[in-house]
Amino acid sequence: MKRLYLVRHAKSSWKYTDLRDFDRPLNKRGKKDAPFMGKLLAEDSVMPDLIISSPALRALSTAKKIAAELGYSVEKIETHKRLYESDTDDYLNVISQVPDNVETLMIFSHNPGLTILNNFLSDKRIDNIPTCGIVNIEITIKRWKDLDFEKGQLISFDYPKKFITEKDV
């Protein structure tokens, strides 16, 4: 049994129009949402065996903020360029190379690729994984290279706006 967390980067800034898309940082809300979501995962005792992130600044920053909340060493976060502007084949290629002793894997990346990947892998469709959204998929496989169409069961789908109360508005 494997567990895969798909995490979309937190809200990013469009303030600096001269920056490449790859170099966009998190905005104020993104810097707040990522630790918040990390705390929720920590409360559920989530501890990934491996975190792999897109090398884009907003994705890697999100990974580092969530990892810090989980007590996962940020130095152990791996990056993979195929997780930026990715399609399902790119994701499956990266995941298939994960060592089989990794039981819980966390991938930090971008839309629309992450939403499409969820809809390929899991038993439930999602219209859109919003910024800092986290999908938890349980997969009945022993080897990551056996990951395939609809092999997973969607266990949870959380995102920051789901936790906003009237007093927060």
Side-chain angles (χ1 to χ4, degrees):
M1 183 80 62
K2 304 287 187 192
R3 186 164 305 273
L4 176 63
Y5 288 89
L6 304 178
V7 187
R8 183 175 174 197
H9 65 80
K11 197 77 167 162
S12 61
S13 174
W14 291 91
K15 182 177 180 180
Y16 308 101
T17 56
D18 57 326
L19 285 179
R20 297 180 310 153
D21 177 72
F22 188 87
D23 297 322
R24 286 191 296 116
L26 296 180
N27 69 11
K28 184 178 176 181
R29 190 174 108 203
K31 290 176 185 175
K32 181 183 75 160
D33 286 348
F36 171 77
M37 294 303 290
K39 285 178 184 155
L40 291 178
L41 290 170
E43 288 171 7
D44 285 340
S45 301
V46 172
M47 178 50 79
D49 298 310
L50 179 61
I51 292 177
I52 306 175
S53 176
S54 157
L57 181 59
R58 62 194 181 275
L60 187 54
S61 296
T62 303
K64 288 178 177 179
K65 288 181 180 303
I66 288 179
E69 294 296 330
L70 297 176
Y72 184 95
S73 172
V74 296
E75 290 81 27
K76 291 171 61 178
I77 296 171
E78 296 181 11
T79 60
H80 203 298
K81 62 184 177 184
R82 288 187 82 167
L83 296 181
Y84 178 70
E85 296 183 340
S86 311
D87 62 23
T88 300
D89 287 338
D90 291 320
Y91 286 108
L92 293 176
N93 179 279
V94 170
I95 294 169
S96 72
Q97 296 174 44
V98 170
D100 292 329
N101 66 333
V102 170
E103 296 297 322
T104 301
L105 173 64
M106 220 175 245
I107 299 284
F108 287 79
S109 192
H110 313 267
N111 258 357
L114 277 182
T115 298
I116 294 167
L117 180 63
N118 172 80
N119 294 342
F120 177 82
L121 294 177
S122 86
D123 59 337
K124 293 194 177 67
R125 302 293 170 255
I126 294 174
D127 289 334
N128 177 53
I129 299 174
T131 52
C132 217
I134 301 174
V135 175
N136 172 7
I137 304 171
E138 192 173 82
I139 309 158
T140 53
I141 56 172
K142 292 185 183 203
R143 301 175 309 172
W144 287 106
K145 68 180 183 178
D146 294 333
L147 192 61
D148 203 354
F149 182 69
E150 290 186 349
K151 289 251 182 168
Q153 178 183 3
L154 189 130
I155 302 300
S156 64
F157 172 36
D158 292 317
Y159 45 92
K161 286 188 174 181
K162 189 174 178 180
F163 299 93
I164 292 176
T165 62
E166 279 187 37
K167 69 179 174 89
D168 295 327
V169 178

Short mmCIF file of all heavy atoms in Angstrom, two decimals, residues 20 36 43 45 94 99 120 146 148 154:
data_model
loop_
_atom_site.label_atom_id
_atom_site.label_comp_id
_atom_site.label_asym_id
_atom_site.label_seq_id
_atom_site.Cartn_x
_atom_site.Cartn_y
_atom_site.Cartn_z
N ARG A 20 10.26 35.75 -14.99
CA ARG A 20 9.77 34.59 -15.73
C ARG A 20 8.75 33.87 -14.84
O ARG A 20 8.83 33.95 -13.61
CB ARG A 20 10.91 33.59 -16.02
CG ARG A 20 12.02 34.10 -16.88
CD ARG A 20 13.09 33.03 -17.10
NE ARG A 20 13.52 32.44 -15.82
CZ ARG A 20 14.01 31.21 -15.70
NH1 ARG A 20 14.13 30.43 -16.73
NH2 ARG A 20 14.39 30.75 -14.52
N PHE A 36 -0.06 26.96 7.16
CA PHE A 36 -1.36 26.55 7.70
C PHE A 36 -1.69 25.12 7.25
O PHE A 36 -2.08 24.27 8.06
CB PHE A 36 -2.46 27.52 7.24
CG PHE A 36 -3.85 27.06 7.56
CD1 PHE A 36 -4.35 27.17 8.86
CD2 PHE A 36 -4.66 26.50 6.59
CE1 PHE A 36 -5.63 26.73 9.17
CE2 PHE A 36 -5.94 26.06 6.88
CZ PHE A 36 -6.43 26.18 8.19
N GLU A 43 -1.04 17.75 12.22
CA GLU A 43 -2.06 17.33 13.18
C GLU A 43 -2.58 15.93 12.87
O GLU A 43 -3.01 15.21 13.75
CB GLU A 43 -3.23 18.32 13.21
CG GLU A 43 -2.88 19.64 13.87
CD GLU A 43 -3.95 20.71 13.69
OE1 GLU A 43 -5.05 20.40 13.15
OE2 GLU A 43 -3.69 21.86 14.09
N SER A 45 -0.60 13.67 11.73
CA SER A 45 0.62 12.85 11.82
C SER A 45 1.14 12.40 10.46
O SER A 45 1.69 11.31 10.32
CB SER A 45 0.39 11.63 12.72
OG SER A 45 0.00 12.04 14.01
N VAL A 94 8.49 10.41 -13.32
CA VAL A 94 9.18 10.79 -12.09
C VAL A 94 8.81 9.83 -10.96
O VAL A 94 9.68 9.32 -10.25
CB VAL A 94 8.84 12.25 -11.69
CG1 VAL A 94 9.35 12.58 -10.30
CG2 VAL A 94 9.40 13.23 -12.71
N PRO A 99 12.15 5.05 -5.15
CA PRO A 99 12.46 3.74 -4.56
C PRO A 99 11.23 3.12 -3.90
O PRO A 99 10.41 3.81 -3.31
CB PRO A 99 13.53 4.07 -3.51
CG PRO A 99 14.10 5.38 -3.92
CD PRO A 99 12.99 6.12 -4.62
N PHE A 120 -6.59 10.95 -13.37
CA PHE A 120 -6.07 9.75 -14.00
C PHE A 120 -5.88 8.63 -12.97
O PHE A 120 -6.24 7.48 -13.21
CB PHE A 120 -4.73 10.06 -14.68
CG PHE A 120 -4.07 8.87 -15.31
CD1 PHE A 120 -4.46 8.41 -16.57
CD2 PHE A 120 -3.06 8.18 -14.65
CE1 PHE A 120 -3.85 7.30 -17.14
CE2 PHE A 120 -2.44 7.08 -15.22
CZ PHE A 120 -2.84 6.63 -16.47
N ASP A 146 4.36 0.54 -10.78
CA ASP A 146 3.09 -0.09 -11.12
C ASP A 146 1.90 0.87 -11.07
O ASP A 146 0.77 0.48 -11.31
CB ASP A 146 2.82 -1.28 -10.18
CG ASP A 146 3.83 -2.39 -10.37
OD1 ASP A 146 4.39 -2.52 -11.48
OD2 ASP A 146 4.08 -3.14 -9.40
N ASP A 148 -0.85 3.29 -12.12
CA ASP A 148 -1.54 3.34 -13.41
C ASP A 148 -2.95 3.89 -13.23
O ASP A 148 -3.38 4.19 -12.12
CB ASP A 148 -1.59 1.93 -14.01
CG ASP A 148 -1.75 1.95 -15.53
OD1 ASP A 148 -1.94 3.03 -16.12
OD2 ASP A 148 -1.71 0.86 -16.13
N LEU A 154 -9.16 8.16 -3.60
CA LEU A 154 -9.04 9.48 -3.02
C LEU A 154 -9.49 9.42 -1.56
O LEU A 154 -10.63 9.07 -1.28
CB LEU A 154 -9.86 10.51 -3.80
CG LEU A 154 -9.59 11.94 -3.35
CD1 LEU A 154 -9.29 12.82 -4.55
CD2 LEU A 154 -10.77 12.50 -2.60
#
